[in-house]
Amino acid sequence: MMCRIGPPGGEFTLWPVAAVDGTWLHLDGTADQHDVGSALCALYFAGGGSTAGSTDEAVHELIGFDTLYAPGGLLLRDNGTSVEPGPRSELFAWRTWLAALYRAEIDLGPGPWVEYVGPGMGAEVGAEVGPEVGPEVGPDVGPDVVRVWPGEGRAGPYVDVARQALPGMLRQVQRDLTGFLGALRTWAATHSPDQTELLVAAVDAGLEITEPLPL
């Protein structure tokens, strides 16, 4: 799971951050405290925060947001091809990928472009992601995959994700995000200890992290 760190429109001084220059951060249990601070900075400003005068005030404001927004999403890589979250992809929408299990449309905005490619559709086999990849049963049948292009439309290299590998992929995303909650709890205990559990619960609920996956 990736979060893009956007610039807050000036020097950020409420708490230490790793970067505010549009770089990507991995949200998992390995995130250090500056990375957690950067992710919270992104959530705070993307959600409309801007006027807090202290860490406690900003955390309190963030806890009260109806929805947690921040640019981000899944990063797919295989055989030299990478598909990053698009410019309008949102962290909270990671469960959108569940629709691919039922061959339903996945709308991630202007990119990445996601399409189901299944048996009988004459698909070619591209890059494959995941521990299990469905066999190609004939030249005119094609694999049972979700094909993902980096940009808008079917242009350039792509990554194929075997449909039967999606549950494992999404469970791993959930494990990564759950690990991030642990790093967040450590951060909050240092920077806003009286609001630690409220902040962790707000991020958990806002990004639908520990809610069971319907798999």
Side-chain angles (χ1 to χ4, degrees):
M1 189 69 169
M2 305 283 285
C3 175
R4 185 182 289 280
I5 303 307
E11 185 179 1
F12 185 75
T13 59
L14 292 179
W15 55 74
V17 295
V20 289
D21 59 359
T23 57
W24 289 108
L25 289 178
H26 290 274
L27 298 187
D28 57 23
T30 68
D32 65 28
Q33 295 299 280
H34 283 56
D35 287 342
V36 174
S38 293
L40 289 176
C41 177
L43 290 167
Y44 178 68
F45 283 98
S50 63
T51 61
S54 68
T55 298
D56 282 338
E57 186 179 333
V59 169
H60 178 75
E61 191 176 353
L62 193 154
I63 289 169
F65 288 161
D66 290 334
T67 305
L68 291 185
Y69 292 96
L74 273 61
L75 172 68
L76 302 176
R77 278 198 187 119
D78 194 65
N79 294 339
T81 298
S82 294
V83 178
E84 296 181 348
R88 296 182 192 171
S89 298
E90 296 284 355
L91 281 176
F92 75 90
W94 67 275
R95 286 174 177 253
T96 301
W97 287 88
L98 286 164
L101 291 171
Y102 309 101
R103 305 180 178 90
E105 180 180 353
I106 297 178
D107 184 3
L108 299 177
W113 187 267
V114 184
E115 236 176 58
Y116 171 68
V117 179
M121 301 178 71
E124 297 177 356
V125 177
E128 296 170 343
V129 173
E132 299 176 358
V133 177
E136 185 184 19
V137 296
D140 297 322
V141 177
D144 187 17
V145 301
V146 177
R147 183 158 294 171
V148 189
W149 286 266
E152 185 173 4
R154 308 176 192 88
Y158 56 82
V159 169
D160 277 353
V161 181
R163 196 167 62 87
Q164 66 265 38
L166 281 168
M169 182 182 81
L170 291 173
R171 288 190 184 100
Q172 183 59 56
V173 172
Q174 187 175 49
R175 285 193 292 269
D176 286 348
L177 288 172
T178 301
F180 176 75
L181 288 179
L184 173 62
R185 179 173 280 106
T186 300
W187 182 94
T190 299
H191 296 281
S192 189
D194 291 341
Q195 302 183 95
T196 295
E197 295 308 318
L198 287 173
L199 177 60
V200 172
V203 173
D204 185 5
L207 301 183
E208 299 183 42
I209 294 175
T210 59
E211 179 182 336
L213 288 166
L215 297 173

